[in-house]
Amino acid sequence: MFENEALQGAASSPVFSPDAQSAAFLQMEKNGYESDRNRVVYVPNLSSERTSSRTRLVETRTGQDGWDLSPGSVAFSPDGSMLLLVVEEKGNDILFKVDLTVSLTNSLSHPEPLTGSGAVSDVRPLKVGSKELFISSSSLIDNSLYTILDPDHPADARIISSNSRNGISFGLSSEQISEIWFQGAGDYQVHALVTKPSNFSENQQYPLAYMIHGGPQSAWTNSWSTRWNPAVFAEQGYIVICPNPTGSTGYGQGFVDGITESWGGLPYDDLVKGFDYIKEQMPYVDTDNAVALGASYGGYMMNWFQGHPLGRAFKALVCHDGVFSMANQISSDEQYFPNHDLGGPYWTSRDIWERWNPARFTGNWSTPMLVIHNELDYRLPISEGLAMFNVLQERGIDSQFLTFSDENHW
C-alpha cells in the first residue's frame, strides 16, 4: 500500500493516529539485513490518492552530527501531534518524542529524549483528553516500574509503582550497577555494564563473570531479564561485566555494521581490550578466577575464545546454544542472517565463512567447558553442541553437556 523507493527492507510497527487520518511505521533501507537502522515513515494523509504525498520520512540523518539510532517501536501521542519512539541508546531503552510540526519542516531536528536510564517496554495514553503517558519499564534491579509522564515536562515524571520496590524486594539496589568505557580495537570506545554483589566491598576481590551477548547485532541493556540476568550471577559472588563490542546496537549504525564479515575479528579484539582494562583498572575484580559465558553468538564467541589466547585467561567457559561449525549454519532456520553477515551464501563466500569458523582452531582448545544445547533449537541445531562436547571429551578437557529436550534456542 505504501512504497518508498529508498527503503527496501523490512517494515514494522504500523500505527494509526488518534483521528485515523494519518499513520506511521518503521522501515529499513536494506533488504535481507535484519539489523539495518529503522527509519521512521509518516503518512500524513491516508485519504490522499497521490502516491508522492503518501509517505514522508521523519528526518533522522546519519553522519557525525546526525541522529544515527534505530527505533524499535513507534506510537502516536494522545493528541496526534507527536510520534513516540522507543530507542536503544548506550545500554538503555529510551523514550523519545518527535514533534511532527517541527520535524516535517526542519531537516536538522532530532528526536528529543523523554526518559533517561532503564528500559522502556511500553507506552500508552494515560486517559482520553490528556497528554500524559503511562510508561512501563524495568532496570537491572527492578522487574516492573510504572511511571506517568507529560511529554512537555519530562523532568516532572512521577513513579507510581515499583513491583520490587526499586529492587529492595529482591535484595538489590542501584548502587550495585555501574558502567565502564574502554578503548576498543579501533578509534572508538566500548561500553560495558557492571553488576556487583549486594554485599560488595571495595576492600575485597571477587571472581569475574564475563558475559557475551548474542545477536550478534544486539546489546546488553539496563533491563530486567528472566533469561540471562546479571543479578543472579552477582548474588553468587561474581563481578558481572557485560560488554557491548563491535556489532552491538545502540551506538550508531556504523558500530552495528562493523561486525559484518568480521565475526571473530573486531568483536574479539574489543573483548580482549575489555579484559585487559578490567585487569588493569578494576582492582576488586579477581581476573585470575574468571569465567566467560555466552549464548547464540555469545556461544560462538566462547568457541572462538577456546581457539585463541583469551580463552586461556578463564577457569571455565559456558557455551549455550552456540556456533561450532560455520558451515553448519546452512541448517539454520534463518538463512538471510549468515548470508548477510558472512558476505553471501556458503558457496560464494566460503573463504569468509571459513575464516571465522571456530572449528578450525579445535587443536588449541584446553579450557574446561560447560556446553548447554537444546533439542528443539532450530536456529543452531543440537549437533553443534554435540560436536563441541565430542571435541572436548576427545581432547581430555574437563567438560559437561546439558540439554533440555523440550526447549528451543532461547
Side-chain angles (χ1 to χ4, degrees):
M1 182 176 180
F2 305 110
E3 296 182 0
N4 188 300
E5 293 183 358
L7 303 178
Q8 299 296 315
S12 62
S13 194
V15 290
F16 294 97
S17 61
D19 63 6
Q21 298 302 305
S22 305
F25 59 95
L26 305 176
Q27 189 167 10
M28 298 179 181
E29 182 178 279
K30 300 176 183 177
N31 188 21
Y33 183 21
E34 69 170 3
S35 298
D36 193 14
R37 185 170 70 94
N38 273 321
R39 277 70 170 178
V40 183
V41 181
Y42 174 56
V43 186
N45 187 356
L46 290 170
S47 61
S48 173
E49 295 182 359
R50 289 169 37 195
T51 303
S52 61
S53 66
R54 282 187 176 180
T55 60
R56 297 178 69 176
L57 272 68
V58 176
E59 186 62 56
T60 52
R61 299 179 305 132
T62 57
Q64 185 175 359
D65 299 320
W67 194 80
D68 194 23
L69 300 174
S70 182
S73 67
V74 58
F76 280 91
S77 62
D79 64 358
S81 66
M82 63 184 71
L83 296 178
L84 303 169
L85 312 175
V86 177
V87 184
E88 201 174 275
E89 181 182 31
K90 298 178 182 177
N92 294 285
D93 292 303
I94 306 297
L95 180 65
F96 285 80
K97 72 175 182 180
V98 176
D99 187 332
L100 292 172
T101 61
V102 174
S103 294
L104 296 178
T105 58
N106 181 4
S107 63
L108 298 180
S109 65
H110 293 169
E112 180 182 336
L114 297 177
T115 62
S117 63
V120 172
S121 55
D122 200 7
V123 56
R124 301 287 176 176
L126 180 62
K127 60 183 178 180
V128 175
S130 171
K131 275 190 173 184
E132 290 187 312
L133 305 171
F134 182 70
I135 299 172
S136 302
S137 63
S138 71
S139 71
L140 284 166
I141 62 166
D142 196 347
N143 66 338
S144 294
L145 183 69
Y146 301 98
T147 307
I148 293 176
L149 180 147
D150 183 338
D152 292 335
H153 306 283
D156 298 329
R158 309 188 306 278
I159 296 174
I160 60 170
S161 177
S162 167
N163 191 51
S164 69
R165 296 188 298 147
N166 197 31
I168 293 174
S169 297
F170 301 146
L172 305 175
S173 74
S174 59
E175 295 179 356
Q176 295 176 240
I177 309 302
S178 59
E179 61 183 358
I180 57 173
W181 291 84
F182 56 87
Q183 182 65 44
D187 186 22
Y188 54 84
Q189 294 285 301
V190 176
H191 184 217
L193 298 175
V194 180
T195 305
K196 305 180 184 72
S198 56
N199 61 354
F200 172 78
S201 169
E202 289 189 356
N203 298 322
Q204 297 183 26
Q205 275 199 323
Y206 301 83
L208 168 67
Y210 204 36
M211 293 174 60
I212 313 305
H213 67 67
Q217 296 94 345
S218 181
W220 294 110
T221 60
N222 184 11
S223 61
W224 188 262
S225 174
T226 55
R227 292 165 54 201
W228 286 70
N229 189 319
V232 172
F233 295 86
E235 292 306 276
Q236 307 307 309
Y238 289 91
I239 299 292
V240 184
I241 298 184
C242 301
N244 287 328
T246 296
S248 299
T249 50
Y251 304 89
Q253 192 59 38
F255 197 69
V256 176
D257 294 343
I259 196 173
T260 304
E261 300 183 20
S262 186
W263 265 38
L266 289 175
Y268 172 79
D269 293 341
D270 289 344
L271 295 170
V272 171
K273 296 275 190 180
F275 188 87
D276 290 343
Y277 176 92
I278 296 164
K279 189 172 185 177
E280 296 166 4
Q281 302 296 328
M282 303 177 74
Y284 53 85
V285 181
D286 182 2
T287 52
D288 290 331
N289 285 291
V291 60
L293 316 89
S296 196
Y297 174 79
Y300 164 91
M301 190 54 71
M302 294 304 100
N303 292 328
W304 196 256
F305 280 7
Q306 273 282 27
H308 292 81
L310 185 56
R312 308 293 79 77
F314 298 99
K315 295 292 187 182
L317 303 172
V318 179
C319 178
H320 177 120
D321 291 344
V323 178
F324 171 74
S325 169
M326 293 300 268
N328 201 39
Q329 289 205 59
I330 296 173
S331 63
S332 172
D333 63 353
E334 190 184 42
Q335 286 304 294
Y336 63 86
F337 176 59
N339 287 351
H340 173 272
D341 280 12
L342 301 174
Y346 183 72
W347 51 92
T348 64
S349 298
R350 184 173 179 176
D351 56 335
I352 299 174
W353 286 60
E354 286 301 317
R355 180 180 181 183
W356 305 122
N357 183 7
R360 290 177 53 214
F361 304 97
T362 50
N364 299 333
W365 285 27
S366 62
T367 301
M369 194 171 197
L370 171 62
V371 178
I372 306 170
H373 219 109
N374 301 323
E375 290 194 25
L376 299 184
D377 187 348
Y378 303 120
R379 181 62 46 85
L380 295 169
I382 193 172
S383 58
E384 294 288 88
L386 292 171
M388 297 174 218
F389 187 59
N390 284 342
V391 169
L392 292 162
Q393 290 287 293
E394 289 188 31
R395 290 184 58 80
I397 301 168
D398 286 343
S399 51
Q400 292 186 345
F401 181 82
L402 172 64
T403 187
F404 295 92
S405 60
D406 58 350
E407 293 289 346
N408 58 26
H409 187 63
W410 292 271

